[in-house]
Amino acid sequence: MPQFNDYRHILSALLENRFIVAVVSSCFCLVVFFWVLFVKRYYSPVRTKILIVGRSGEDEQPGSGKTTLYHVLRTGKVPKFHSVTSMVPNEGTFIPQGSKSLKEMNFVDFPGNERMRVELEEQILQAKVVVYVLDLSKLQTDLRKEAISLFEIFKLLKKRNRKAIPVLVFCNKVDLCENVELDKVKNLLGDEIMKYQRELASAGGENVMLATNRDSLFACSQYVVTFESGSAAQGLVAPVIQFLERI
Ligand SMILES: Nc1nc2c(ncn2[C@@H]2O[C@H](COP(=O)(O)OP(=O)(O)O)[C@@H](O)[C@H]2O)c(=O)[nH]1
Ligand SMILES: [Mg+2]
């Protein structure tokens, strides 16, 4: 059996060889470097990111209200700006106005433009919460488009393998609607997404089956979806704040 002294001799012989010392210390530096990167990515404050997503305006139609919601959360006031479909995310760290218990959070109002898909994927991987803003006043006419948009978000969320992320579907513009029944909205959207994924699968698309039924579509190991309603332009965003307070 080799004795302690033998190991000491081997070690001092190795340390005398500068090449070996250089290789070992480079490896050590590399390991530390990757470890720091890993810790930064998975445990940094970035994970307090509240990502606001949803469809943007198209063909002269207004967007769902993401930027309005962002401003109401930030300032407590309804913005007096003309809606422009942006290609740049709005980002800020603040305590949402109207909350007594929340700490500072990093909010990102992410434009729903198709061309920003790669960036959206990156944002979703880093998010702590996703708030999907849906224009309830156009749900009947835009049901398929909303279903596709939400399907794409769920697909990206499925790529996460950490703890389930809370997703809020904020049914916005209730001031333009009568008799809002959130269960009905959830069922309508759920059925349309299921229909869409079946169509994709029968057209030969790969990896498009998100879920086999509506329940597992809205709650799985990667995300859990809650539905709330309100009106950003009327300053009625308390359900969003209460949702953030619960998580
Ligand atoms: N009636 C009504 N209009 C809203 C509401 N929220 C936003 N809007 C309007 O919808 C338009 C698009 O809003 P915006 O926040 O720019 O949408 P985004 O493209 O999703 O960022 C603007 O004219 C807003 O004033 C709401 O709750 N009710
Ligand atoms: Mg916007």
Side-chain angles (χ1 to χ4, degrees), residues 72-90:
V72 173
L73 290 173
R74 182 168 198 153
T75 63
K77 295 190 190 99
V78 177
K80 292 186 184 71
F81 59 75
H82 286 292
S83 169
V84 279
T85 300
S86 167
M87 287 286 283
V88 186
N90 252 325

Side-chain angles (χ1 to χ4, degrees), residues 66-67 84 86 109:
K66 300 178 292 296
T67 307
V84 279
S86 167
D109 156 30

